[in-house]
């Protein structure tokens, strides 16, 4: 029985793919045992606090929902032949379906039996978070085969008081000012949406943990979508002023190019570093305004009264593409086999490159006058000539290293090389872009 | 005789077309009996003050001209056959022509006999406001038929002291801050230019008069072009600081799309509301910078020392079009038959939509934190989803309702629906965009 | 012998072409007798101070180099046949070559014998300012003819303490605030690069000297490239705050259109006047950002700690063109015969037009209200109508004459005519754009 499934475990320092394979199949609903099992397993990968918010807790204008537990949902013929059961795949039942047990006619059944409009072999993901109702999901072939007059439906589900859980990992820095990575964990039996973002976030944090020093504090929050952000933020309002930016992570295992969705202000330091990292990365990518790529928890962070500039990073097709955001989105086909090898690692490295910019960024102030006699300071002038010029003339005591790279078009690594060469000779002074 | 023509009258609450038909044929020159008759008739349509400025009154750098009265101007053969007379059409004599009576040769006559370069059947409109001279106007056919050696010309006109008249209708609002509609009335025997703007202005004011309350005060000024604005503004300087914007109205009965000519600053609240109303209207339209569409009294309002941001609304062809601003412009063919049915009414409704925006516009301030749990407040989320998002994230306590609609691309009506839904639940506070 | 060449002289008030023809062939190296002879001759054309900075003097991060004197450099066969000698053309030896005398193999010689990659008949210009080495330069034909196994090389050159010289001409104005023209003189035996800029600079100054009054002070500095600017600026730091802008001059005798390279800020009054003069000039031209057209001493002036907004004016091909910056650049073919007649004069007149704008520019403030009754003030309304309108509505007490011309598109001369007409009637007040 589902009730007695042994909770999954993970070896210490599991790889991203190990995390995904161990946890993807769990029925990870908003407030549910599957979600709790997954979060508990992840908490062994790095120091993590698990915040709990009981059912009914007010969170800004939201309320923590009840726990939903579905022992089994199945469809069978009147003579007892099982046509589908959630024991095969949690997606066969719409999340948060109300309990039901009875015989219904084919005509009553069909509107509640959801298939995917484009993918006949897929079982779609449906949910009833905002209305009380029930539904089943199946492939087109199964639906087409239903020829009998009546069927039996069993949705052995229950609502009960529970606790919504948010996992938070914190890496302290010299400053309490922090950047927040965020990913949701509440999409049952799927991978790119949403385990891929969780895996990348954890791997990023494990690597940042090894840095000898960090200028900023970094947080990773893992939560059920939307309500999880509302719960976390409404109970940690004192932290909000320290959050200088954030990055939502998801859909990072597809083979599509990276897409940066800017934060609401669009020009925060996180936006600028992320756009620069993508530019310097050179591979195909896209940048879109807030609300124009994909909608997730970055909305809650950017909302009125909070206004943390959280961007989002994904690998999605453009809006308007028939397979937007990616072919297997919200279906049973979003499974480990579809992960494109190397995608998760490249996304992780991109996030690390962004952090590298955040950490290095500062406002250089020239301590010299005139164009430098570059030949005197050991610069590789033949290679760096135009970059040296562009960096030099950008030294206005206001423009930061990241902004110099953005405005001049020189790669960040080259700008950094020029600035470090100048700093090594005491030619510039460094100031952090804003007090921290 | 023209001197004894009975002044026209209008029924109470005359339609726009009734006003035009009753008044269009009058010889409405700058300071003239025809103008006075027309203004007096209009004054019965709504409460109106008629300001009088005597000949010779200094108005900024201008001076009120003399009254011009032309009993008759005619061209005849030496044997007394009348070829043209202003009793048939006031346009046959150039406005403000000097008196003349005598025989002249064909060669002397022809340079003073004006025809239209493109429309052979039209009698063109000419005037001598800035030089003292006389001229006659006729069709190409008449001019071509002149084969005799000598003709007799009679221009039985007189200059005398008079009073320039400006009609002003005022609808008080909660604030003394006002918006000014302006139209000129001094174009004899023509319709689109200029009676159409007068008619729309009066109908707009009559409808605004029925509003249970107005936030702003509204003024309609009807005047002779340029000198009328100079006279009115130079004698009402105390009002100028209360004028937050204005809209000049003319050429609104053609079948062309609306054209908004922005005020000199170009981004006043009137400019923004007018541009938004045109965008939401959806029909073909154009927006041009100040001085690039058509020149009228908005110049005097926008000029140094006054700087009231008055835009202008017309239905003109683009500059550069061979028929610019419209085919019958400044000719005898600009007559009631050429009015395109429905145009005046659509223009009036557009102006009312602009006023609706001016009246509603405010800066909403969120009283909540986080993204709203829309399902809790009865919004039609399926229909409004992206608009609700866009409005929500625009709530920065600085951006007004009109600017939210402009920046997000959501129709004003939809933005308003979202904001009113929020206001109904006490979720936002409203502040007027500037103190009034 | 080169040592005993009679220094060139110039007649008083020599023409630009006379200056070029008299001085172009001199071996004008950074610190050298040829350079000194040229500067001394130019000093007779207008009052000039010659600043001297001894070898070893620190100049910001630079140091004044040694004087380099090359009595002769030659290549000969072992049997004494002279293949090339610097007595024929100073370009045959790389500037600042180290002394050498000896026999070398053909294989040793060839890498030190420089030819032009594209122009087989040209002797290229090479230098060793930042490394100690020697080289010879010749045509492709000469290099191809070298078939012997060994050759004799004589570079009879010497380094010794000397003084770097900067010529400075000053024309005082009502204000100490100044604009700086700059050109370098250190390119041996070439014309467009760099004598053309020197000649234009001197002719401009001679003409400005005749003005009855100047609002600003003007400076012309003639110097060896880069190090000359470092020397001059580091020893005249007190002047830097008075320098409101500058213009570097070079390559002005080609037949290509003018190219303005903006200063680093890009919107200084010099930038704006120069761009406007080019626009009004109407002939083919281009405008590029700082560092994107051609690199010269404007870099030192724009550099950190100095920040004088110096633009540059040249007649160069676009970057990327195979002949960039011009066909004969840095070769023996850059000689007087290649000057395109009229180019220098047109460039001089363009610079004078820029100065005319700098001198006239002011912020007009209207002393009237309303649109002017233009007919009252004698304006040629038929011709000036739209310009008069545009000027009138631009009178906001903040926008200067030059900026009115730029923003409205009206030629500066027409804007000036309108403003002078208004000023003649006491209609405007004038304020200088910034306190001087």
């Amino acid at each position: 029985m589902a009730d007695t499934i042994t909770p999954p475990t993970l070896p210490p320092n599991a790889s991203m793919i190990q995390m995904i394979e161990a946890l993807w199949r769990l029925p990870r609903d908003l407030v549910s045992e599957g979600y709790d099992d997954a979060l508990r397993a992840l908490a062994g990968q790095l120091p993590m606090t698990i915040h709990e918010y009981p059912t009914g807790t007010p969170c800004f204008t939201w309320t923590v929902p009840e726990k939903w537990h579905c022992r089994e949902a199945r469809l069978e013929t009147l003579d007892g032949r099982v046509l589908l059961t959630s024991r095969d795949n949690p997606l066969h039942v719409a999340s948060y379906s109300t309990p039901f047990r009875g015989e219904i006619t084919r005509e009553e059944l069909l509107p509640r039996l959801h298939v995917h409009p484009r993918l006949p072999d897929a079982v779609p993901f449906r949910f009833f978070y905002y209305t009380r109702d029930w539904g089943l999901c199946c492939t087109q072939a199964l639906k087409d085969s239903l020829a009998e007059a009546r069927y039996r439906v069993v949705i052995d589900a229950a609502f009960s008081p529970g606790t919504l859980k948010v996992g938070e990992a914190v890496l302290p820095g010299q400053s309490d000012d922090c950047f927040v990575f965020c990913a949701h964990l509440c999409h049952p039996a799927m991978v790119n949406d949403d385990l891929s973002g969780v895996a990348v976030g954890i791997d990023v944090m494990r690597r940042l943990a090894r840095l000898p020093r960090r200028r900023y504090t970094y947080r990773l929050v893992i939560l059920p979508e939307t309500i999880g952000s509302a719960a976390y933020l409404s109970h940690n309002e004192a932290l909000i002023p320290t959050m200088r930016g954030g990055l939502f992570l998801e859909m990072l295992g597809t083979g599509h190019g990276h897409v940066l969705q800017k934060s609401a202000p669009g020009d925060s330091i996180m936006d600028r570093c992320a756009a620069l990292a993508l530019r310097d990365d050179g591979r195909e990518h896209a940048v879109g305004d807030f609300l124009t790529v994909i909608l997730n928890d970055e909305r809650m962070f950017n909302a009125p009264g909070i206004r943390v500039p959280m961007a989002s990073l994904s690998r999605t097709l453009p809006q308007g593409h028939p397979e937007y955001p990616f072919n297997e989105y919200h279906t049973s086909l979003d499974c480990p086999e579809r992960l494109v090898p190397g995608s998760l690692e490249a996304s992780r490295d991109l996030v690390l490159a962004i952090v590298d910019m955040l950490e290095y960024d500062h406002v250089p102030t020239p301590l010299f006058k005139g164009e430098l006699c570059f030949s005197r300071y050991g610069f590789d002038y033949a290679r760096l000539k135009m970059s040296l010029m562009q960096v030099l003339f950008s030294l206005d005591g206001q423009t930061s290293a990241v902004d110099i790279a953005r405005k001049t078009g020189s790669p960040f690594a080259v700008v950094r090389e020029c600035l470090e060469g100048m700093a090594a000779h005491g030619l510039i002074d460094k100031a952090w872009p804003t007090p921290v």
Side-chain angles (χ1 to χ4, degrees), chain A:
Chain A
M1 292 213 326
D3 283 315
T4 60
I5 282 178
T6 310
T9 56
L10 284 170
N13 209 21
S15 70
M16 292 190 283
I17 194 69
Q18 280 179 314
M19 289 186 249
I20 287 171
E21 288 181 339
L23 307 179
W24 81 280
R25 193 70 181 202
L26 289 169
R28 293 172 279 108
D29 299 287
L30 293 181
V31 180
S32 68
E33 292 175 10
Y35 177 95
D36 294 353
D37 289 345
L39 188 60
R40 201 174 302 116
L42 293 168
Q45 296 299 305
L46 73 179
M48 189 184 289
T49 302
I50 296 186
H51 303 282
E52 304 201 22
Y53 306 102
T55 296
T57 305
C59 306
F60 299 142
T61 60
W62 301 72
T63 306
V64 174
E66 291 177 291
K67 170 180 167 184
W68 181 71
H69 185 64
C70 182
R71 270 171 298 272
E72 186 188 4
R74 68 179 184 271
L75 175 68
E76 55 188 33
T77 56
L78 296 193
D79 57 2
R81 185 164 52 94
V82 174
L83 299 170
L84 62 82
T85 165
S86 62
R87 298 198 176 179
D88 290 338
N89 190 329
L91 295 177
H92 277 310
V93 59
S95 186
Y96 274 72
S97 279
T98 46
F100 183 82
R101 184 180 297 262
E103 288 180 23
I104 61 175
T105 67
R106 184 173 176 275
E107 284 62 43
E108 289 167 326
L109 172 64
L110 289 187
R112 293 172 177 276
L113 190 58
H114 303 281
V115 296
H116 194 277
R118 190 170 44 77
L119 300 171
D121 297 333
V123 179
F125 169 45
R126 291 299 176 96
F127 50 84
F128 291 107
Y129 299 156
Y130 306 112
T131 54
R132 291 260 152 167
D133 204 344
W134 63 262
L136 297 172
C137 304
C138 68
T139 64
Q140 187 69 46
L142 179 61
K143 187 172 185 181
D144 291 346
S145 73
L146 299 179
E148 314 213 2
R150 298 179 68 82
Y151 291 89
R152 183 174 302 117
V153 170
V154 174
I155 299 183
D156 182 8
F159 295 95
S160 62
T163 65
L164 179 154
K165 297 187 183 60
V166 173
E168 180 186 34
V170 183
L171 293 172
Q174 295 173 316
S175 164
D176 289 338
D177 278 20
C178 70
F179 292 94
V180 183
F181 301 111
C182 181
H184 56 63
L185 183 66
C186 61
H187 281 32
M190 289 176 287
V191 171
N192 262 310
D193 185 15
D194 53 4
L195 262 183
S196 70
V198 172
V200 167
I202 287 178
D203 210 28
V204 163
M205 291 293 279
R206 286 192 302 212
R207 285 165 195 256
L208 296 184
R210 295 177 211 150
L211 292 179
R213 59 176 280 280
R214 288 172 297 273
R215 186 163 128 191
Y216 295 109
T217 295
Y218 294 86
R219 291 173 195 278
L220 169 67
V221 287
I222 299 171
L223 35 70
E225 190 172 359
T226 307
I227 177 65
S229 292
Y232 172 74
L233 288 167
S234 63
H235 289 81
N236 289 282
E237 290 201 51
L239 286 180
I240 292 172
T242 71
M243 296 178 179
R244 296 187 57 191
L247 191 64
F248 187 84
L249 302 169
E250 80 165 356
M251 302 184 193
L252 293 168
T254 78
H256 305 305
H258 283 114
V259 184
L260 172 68
Q261 177 179 269
K262 296 191 211 171
S263 73
D267 61 353
S268 75
I269 181 63
M270 175 59 85
D271 291 286
R272 285 176 284 140
C273 289
L276 179 60
L278 279 171
R279 188 199 74 180
D280 283 1
D281 176 74
R283 281 172 286 192
E284 182 202 352
H285 65 270
V287 179
D289 284 336
F290 186 64
L291 295 184
T292 68
V293 177
I294 192 89
L295 304 185
N296 277 297
D297 293 85
E298 75 285 342
R299 298 190 333 265
M300 193 64 68
F301 282 82
N302 280 283
I306 301 171
R307 298 294 187 197
V308 173
M310 179 177 279
S312 113
L313 187 70
S314 62
R315 291 175 176 270
T316 51
L317 292 163
Q319 286 205 14
H321 189 288
E323 297 173 4
Y324 169 85
F326 63 98
N327 188 44
E328 306 83 13
Y329 173 73
H330 277 198
T331 75
S332 58
L333 302 182
D334 180 7
C335 57
E337 291 70 33
R338 303 294 174 108
L339 287 172
V340 173
S343 283
L344 294 176
E345 291 76 12
S347 296
R348 175 202 61 208
D349 292 345
L350 182 70
V351 176
L352 291 170
I354 294 169
V355 171
D356 192 46
M357 292 175 180
L358 292 170
E359 289 281 308
Y360 180 75
D361 198 33
H362 64 270
V363 174
T365 304
L367 301 173
F368 58 91
K369 291 180 181 174
E371 184 175 71
L372 283 176
C373 182
F374 291 115
S375 61
R376 200 172 137 175
Y377 300 104
F379 287 101
D380 183 350
Y381 189 67
R383 176 171 59 87
L384 295 175
K385 178 174 177 181
M386 282 313 298
S387 293
L388 278 169
M389 294 279 179
Q390 289 171 329
V391 170
L392 180 111
F393 287 103
S394 301
L395 295 175
D396 58 6
Q398 296 183 317
T399 307
S400 80
V402 162
D403 288 338
I404 290 173
R406 293 172 68 236
K407 291 178 183 172
T408 64
S410 285
F412 175 74
V414 174
V415 169
R416 184 171 179 161
E417 178 182 358
C418 296
L419 289 174
E420 290 187 342
M422 294 180 190
H425 288 93
L427 293 167
I428 54 171
D429 208 2
K430 295 182 180 186
W432 282 15
T434 57
V436 288

